[in-house]
Amino acid sequence: MAITRHNPTDHSSYICVLRNAFSQPGPDVFKNAPPLRPMEVEGTLEGIVMESLLFITGESSYVENPDFITGLSGHYDLYFERGVSFAKSRFVSVDDWTQKAFHKRKINFKYFPPGSVIILKYVNHSNCVTRKSIINQRQPI
């Protein structure tokens, strides 16, 4: 899922991309996550605001409580980084040729298992059409 927010004053935008699962994934999904299609944005990429991943490291259990909402309890680890460069990102890479050509950027997902979240900042240019932040994720692989 991807969510875009745009600031009309300074033309900066943020894209939050996340991947979830509606059931508990198998233990190998964190090592061998199914690939995602590349994402295209128009504008200048300024950087990665943050990237994070919550993953299960042990057995989890569910115990229902009649007094409050409960969830899975177990062993979880969190990877969280702020201000990651594209060169050091665990999740995405940007094609060199798209960084310079036509203000279009192709963002490739290297590794993006369920539980992953990334926020990208970019600036739209005044000569771009109104549909500046259309994300091309419509067709499956």
Side-chain angles (χ1 to χ4, degrees):
M1 175 169 43
I3 301 165
T4 304
R5 291 292 176 251
H6 176 70
N7 182 343
T9 306
D10 66 359
H11 301 290
S12 65
S13 294
Y14 293 88
I15 301 173
C16 176
V17 182
L18 57 106
R19 190 171 197 179
N20 62 358
F22 292 102
S23 61
Q24 184 160 339
D28 65 332
V29 75
F30 297 107
K31 294 178 185 168
N32 304 313
L36 292 177
R37 283 180 44 123
M39 179 175 69
E40 290 184 2
V41 296
E42 293 183 20
T44 301
L45 285 171
E46 291 199 344
I48 298 171
V49 177
M50 61 79 72
E51 62 181 23
S52 67
L53 169 62
L54 180 67
F55 53 98
I56 302 168
T57 58
E59 292 294 319
S60 60
S61 62
Y62 173 74
V63 178
E64 189 171 342
N65 186 313
D67 298 326
F68 56 89
I69 297 173
T70 56
L72 292 176
S73 62
H75 304 281
Y76 296 93
D77 276 342
L78 175 67
Y79 160 74
F80 183 88
E81 291 288 333
R82 284 186 182 173
V84 181
S85 68
F86 286 106
K88 293 185 178 182
S89 173
R90 290 177 61 178
F91 295 158
V92 296
S93 65
V94 179
D95 289 342
D96 285 339
W97 67 271
T98 61
Q99 289 180 355
K100 300 174 183 127
F102 309 111
H103 299 294
K104 277 194 172 183
R105 306 299 183 258
K106 183 176 175 183
I107 301 165
N108 299 301
F109 291 92
K110 306 188 281 194
Y111 174 73
F112 209 69
S116 300
V117 178
I118 189 167
I119 299 176
L120 306 166
K121 182 178 181 182
Y122 71 101
V123 175
N124 294 321
H125 299 286
S126 59
N127 59 352
C128 292
V129 268
T130 307
R131 302 173 303 154
K132 296 172 182 127
S133 59
I134 292 177
I135 299 171
N136 188 5
Q137 287 283 337
R138 296 185 185 117
Q139 298 175 1
I141 295 179

